[in-house]
Amino acid sequence: MAKSVFYHAGCPVCVSAEQEILTLIDKSQVEVVHLGEVKNRIAEAETAGVKSVPALVTPSGNVLHINFGASIEEVKA
Amino acid sequence: MAKSVFYHAGCPVCVSAEQEILTLIDKSQVEVVHLGEVKNRIAEAETAGVKSVPALVTPSGNVLHINFGASIEEVKA
């Protein structure tokens, strides 16, 4: 099975959501990407449809925006 | 382990999110509550901190608002 990708940017809302997601979903099935640290993956996240972080892109390609930490525009800045 | 509770209201965004969540998380660990059908549980959802649906309340009591289908006020109407 393809992995889900959890995009975040280190914000408090992101960290809280990450902890919850990694409790609920098998850690081996989730790749965690900190867009503040790997800015060269922001374009990939935008292409996947990520509008804000934290967000989980599922193996089927759907984007689940979870709560709201920051917009993707803010992450770029 | 306590179950997570997934609150929704039958909206397209809710149904899509439900399908994803039930793919990612073991179904036996999630209770699905349709607030449009069981309106007497709206107060419980609000007490848990649910502001909009779909939302997942985790075993630790955190609320993950997933995308946005409808506000809890709209669900009450």
Side-chain angles (χ1 to χ4, degrees), chain B residues 7-44:
Chain B
Y7 293 102
H8 74 107
C11 54
V13 169
C14 297
V15 171
S16 169
E18 179 184 348
Q19 290 169 342
E20 293 295 340
I21 289 295
L22 295 182
T23 301
L24 296 169
I25 304 176
D26 186 341
K27 285 179 185 58
S28 67
Q29 298 304 316
V30 185
E31 180 186 9
V32 176
V33 177
H34 188 324
L35 290 177
E37 293 176 352
V38 281
K39 286 186 177 276
N40 61 358
R41 292 190 64 178
I42 293 176
E44 161 201 307

Side-chain angles (χ1 to χ4, degrees), chain A residues 1 4 16-17 20-21 23-26 56 58-67, chain B residues 1 4 16-17 20-21 23-26 56 58-67:
Chain A
M1 194 175 91
S4 299
S16 170
E20 293 295 340
I21 290 294
T23 301
L24 296 169
I25 304 176
D26 187 342
L56 187 73
T58 69
S60 57
N62 278 341
V63 183
L64 302 178
H65 293 98
I66 300 170
N67 296 337
Chain B
M1 193 174 90
S4 299
S16 169
E20 293 295 340
I21 289 295
T23 301
L24 296 169
I25 304 176
D26 186 341
L56 186 73
T58 70
S60 57
N62 277 343
V63 183
L64 302 178
H65 293 97
I66 299 169
N67 296 338

Side-chain angles (χ1 to χ4, degrees), chain A residues 2-3 7 9 14 16-17 19 24 28 39-40 42-43 45 49 52-53 57 60 64 67-69 71 76-77:
Chain A
K3 283 191 181 189
Y7 293 103
C14 296
S16 170
Q19 289 170 342
L24 296 169
S28 67
K39 285 184 179 277
N40 61 357
I42 293 176
S52 63
V53 289
V57 179
S60 57
L64 302 178
N67 296 337
F68 181 85
S71 71
K76 283 184 197 174

